Amino acid sequence: FKVDWLAYSVIATSLSAVVFQRLAVAGAQRNLSSFQRTLTDGIRHCLLLVMGSAAVLASLAQPIVRVIYQRGSFLPADTVATAHTLQVYTLGLVGGSVSLVLLQAVYALQLPKLRIRAGLVLLPGAALSGWVFRPFFGIAGIALAHVCSMTLLCVYLGVSLRQWLGSGRELLSYGLRISLAASTAYGV
């Protein structure tokens, strides 16, 4: 059971299912403005919900891990180490969740080659970052490799779909403002 993917499963999967239906209609009609609006709105909602939940998960990592896992041979020291790893994993929720919305756009536009290329970017990126980070950061290095691979996938899909995204600056600005708010909430 991966605690960090609970937020991903509940928020990103549900949101992307709703977004996909609208993207598919706009894509089939080749309605660029409707497609862009739906995709950017989907990404905005995803950023808002996932960054907020990631901040909550990161700030409450230790109590969450303690309640779920700490019993029997799972000791308080294990809780601390696991909570630290969970905090690192939460950084990958944004990239993974936005990637899921972007992948729905890939499917709606019927771009199977882009999906394959995305996989070819993701797998070596994950392997390389795992190989680099694991020796330096231990188990947290595996989580950091996941964060890097999800971020790489998100950036690759975003760049590949830039003509369908509209104003990337506007989305980036929105994402930065939400990041600042989530960071503030994490610090509180």
Side-chain angles (χ1 to χ4, degrees):
F1 178 68
K2 288 186 63 178
V3 176
D4 65 315
W5 283 99
L6 180 62
Y8 176 86
S9 299
V10 171
I11 296 169
T13 305
S14 302
L15 182 65
S16 69
V18 171
V19 168
F20 176 69
Q21 295 172 354
R22 294 181 178 172
L23 288 174
V25 170
Q29 296 171 347
R30 293 293 182 206
N31 185 339
L32 179 63
S33 64
S34 177
F35 194 93
Q36 283 178 337
R37 187 174 48 255
T38 301
L39 184 56
T40 55
D41 285 350
I43 292 171
R44 283 172 180 252
H45 290 104
C46 186
L47 288 171
L48 178 65
L49 296 170
V50 170
M51 283 189 186
S53 64
V56 169
L57 268 176
S59 62
L60 298 175
Q62 205 162 344
I64 290 170
V65 171
R66 185 180 309 114
V67 166
I68 294 173
Y69 296 113
Q70 189 174 317
R71 63 185 145 284
S73 62
F74 198 93
L75 303 173
D78 300 322
T79 296
V80 171
T82 303
H84 176 68
T85 304
L86 174 60
Q87 289 173 323
V88 175
Y89 266 117
T90 60
L91 298 172
L93 283 174
V94 174
S97 298
V98 172
S99 293
L100 185 59
V101 173
L102 291 170
L103 282 169
Q104 298 301 341
V106 170
Y107 291 126
L109 293 169
Q110 299 177 1
L111 301 171
K113 289 180 183 176
L114 178 55
R115 176 65 175 105
I116 292 168
R117 286 194 307 268
L120 292 174
V121 166
L122 176 65
L123 292 176
L128 179 63
S129 55
W131 181 74
V132 169
F133 293 131
R134 172 72 170 93
F136 295 105
F137 301 106
I139 298 300
I142 295 171
L144 190 56
H146 169 76
V147 171
C148 290
S149 62
M150 288 293 104
T151 304
L152 177 64
L153 177 63
C154 182
V155 169
Y156 177 78
L157 289 171
V159 169
S160 298
L161 293 169
R162 66 186 171 276
Q163 75 185 62
W164 298 99
L165 275 171
S167 174
R169 284 190 194 133
E170 187 179 313
L171 269 177
L172 185 60
S173 171
Y174 182 79
L176 290 173
R177 289 190 311 247
I178 296 296
S179 295
L180 182 60
S183 298
T184 304
Y186 174 72
V188 170

